[in-house]
Structure formats: C-alpha cells, structure tokens
Amino acid sequence: MRIVAPAGGIGAARFLRGLLAHLAQAGVESQVTVIGNTADDITLSGLHVSPDLDTVMYTLGGGIHPVQGWGRADETRNVQAELTAYGAGTEWFALGDRDIATHLVRTELLAAGATLSEATAALCARWQPGVRLLPMSDDPIATQVTIADATAPGGVRVLHFQEYWVRLGAPPALAVTVAGADKSSPAPGVLEAVAEADVILLPPSNPVVSIGAVLAVPGIREAVRQNRNAPVVGLSPIVGGAPVRGMADRMLTAIGVETSAEAVGLHYGARRHGGLLDGWLVDSVDAAAVPGLEAAGIATRAVPLLMRDVAHSAAMAAAALDLATEIAAR
Ligand code: FO1
C-alpha cells in the first residue's frame, strides 16, 4: 500500500510513528512518503534549520526529544551558551549541540550545491526514519505572520513564523502568508508520489501553517484532487474546540475559520465539491460534528484522537485506513 502524507511537525510526526507501528502490526506491505513542510525553515548563525523535516526525521528515527517533540534527546547547549557569551546567536530559539550537527551537515551540503531534497536524503540515510521524507519544495518558502503593532508603521508587523511562534508566543494574528510559495515548484518525486498513492492522509497538523503551507506549493493540491484512486482522509488537529498543541486556533482565526473539528473539515472541503477530503476523523468529544460533515459530503467518524502514546496513534492510523478502505469500496 502506497501511503502519502503531507506533514508539519510534532502532531504529524507522532501520528506517523503510530501509522508505521500499525502497518507493522497489521503486516501490511507498504511504503509511506511524507511531504514535509519547509515554510517553517529559518537560517540562524548561518545554519539552515528545517524544524518540521527534522521533527519527522528525529521522531521516526528515534532521536527526538520525547517531551518537547522537537530537537534531539539528551541535548546540551554549550555552543549556544558560547554564542551568547559573544553576544551572537539567538537565545530565543533553542539550538542544542546535537541538533546543530544536523544543521551543519545540511548547510554544508546546500553550500556545496545540493538541493534541500538531497540534503534531506543524506540526513535520513543516518536516521532511517522508515518513510521517504521529501521536502514539499527545494525552493525558498517562508511563512510570515502579520500582527498588530501600534509602534510599527501602518500599525502592523510582519514576522517570520518562528519569531511569531517561539519568540513572541503566538499573539493574535491578522494574516498568514506563505511567502515564495507562488513561485515555487514541488520537490522531485512529490507529484509522482501523490499521483501513485493508494491512500492520502492529512495528519493532525496545523491546517494553516503546516498542511496549508504544503498545499500552497503549486500543483500539490491539484495532484491530490486528481488522484481518484486514493481516498483522502484527514484527522482533526482540533479537539473540543481547541488545538491539541500549538497555535492552530490563532492561525485559523487569522484566515477566518472557526476553531472546531467541523470547521477545519469544511475548510479542507469535500473532494466531490471541489475540496480535498473524502473522509475526516474527529475526536469522540466532537461526535456532534459528524452529521454536518456527512451532509457536506465528507465521510466522518468520531474516534479518540489524543495521541497519548504510540498505541493511541496506531489506533488513530488504523481508524483512518479503515475509513479509507470503506470509501474506496463505495
Ligand atoms: N520550539 C519552541 O517552542 N522553542 C524553541 O526554542 C524551539 C527551537 C527549535 C529548534 C529546532 C527545531 O527543529 C525546532 C524548534 N522548535 C522550538 C520547534 C519549532 O518551532 C516547531 O516545531 C515548528 O516550527 C512548528 O511545527
């Protein structure tokens, strides 16, 4: 079974870990291709950091910091302390010593002319994540968030996503822009993977700055819609009216979408009405959303969506694949 999943960071990585566990337990012969969001990427101290690619790679490769969900386990921050002593570096974005090695290898490869895809493949050769991890694009794309700022000209400030999220703690946002996406192309293999997929899953990532950023790369959304052999099943990142983690509520508000499992499902839209979804999983607490989503043409199931451990995320993956099978059998 060829499974393709656009992915953001922590939520997607934890879901994918459950997916791989389920496929192994069920003895399903499968290849999983992950299309990683690169619009969170940031250059710090000259190093190219790809947070969402690294979170997937580390989580599935066994090197992730288990509590944070980003960065490396068993981390130290001696380099960052030295940078601070020089008055250099950016203390607000924690770069651990082990993590810096990843960014050094990536940056060295890019400087030698490699593409982000090639650099990602080289890093994954070490980590063996058990999926094919493709950047959504090898072109520069950066999510920018606009906030109100009375002290700034025009009363607004446009921020790099990481500064908005990590440095400022995600204050209310007025707009979100995936800068550069319109001029970008999908990375090699992305469109082919989508076209050949048997199932396409939208993990419980941020629908605006993670999945939304991947879908903003020209050609990817259309490739998903055009592959009629592959049921598209998404999992709500919103449970009981709130994001399970992160700032999806502020991002959804910025684009005028209510923070609910139903609103996000309708935001992705039913494939039969020009959207993406054939199926949608909401948490059991949001079971009341099922009839409205079904009426909108999206096959919907209410199942537990809190990923407390691998077993829970494996059960979620099983539920998503079961729904995909049901949809394909129609
Ligand atoms: N998130 C934080 O909240 N604080 C940090 O200091 C931080 C550092 C960091 C370093 C490397 C990396 O790959 C991710 C890091 N993140 C940090 C998480 C990151 O902001 C998010 O994982 C994604 O950008 C959103 O999905």
Side-chain angles (χ1 to χ4, degrees), residues 8-10 37 40-41 44 49-52 54-55 58 68-71 77 91-96 99 103 161-162 165-166 209-210 247:
I10 302 162
N37 172 37
D40 285 1
D41 289 17
L44 294 168
V49 180
S50 297
D52 282 357
D54 289 347
T55 286
Y58 289 156
Q68 279 174 183
W70 51 266
R77 290 189 43 198
E91 283 178 281
W92 57 272
F93 197 80
L95 286 181
D99 196 31
H103 313 316
F161 171 75
Q162 295 298 349
W165 165 230
V166 177
V209 296
S210 295
M247 79 327 282

Side-chain angles (χ1 to χ4, degrees), residues 45 80 82-91:
S45 303
Q80 201 151 42
E82 291 299 308
L83 287 170
T84 302
Y86 281 115
T90 43
E91 283 178 281

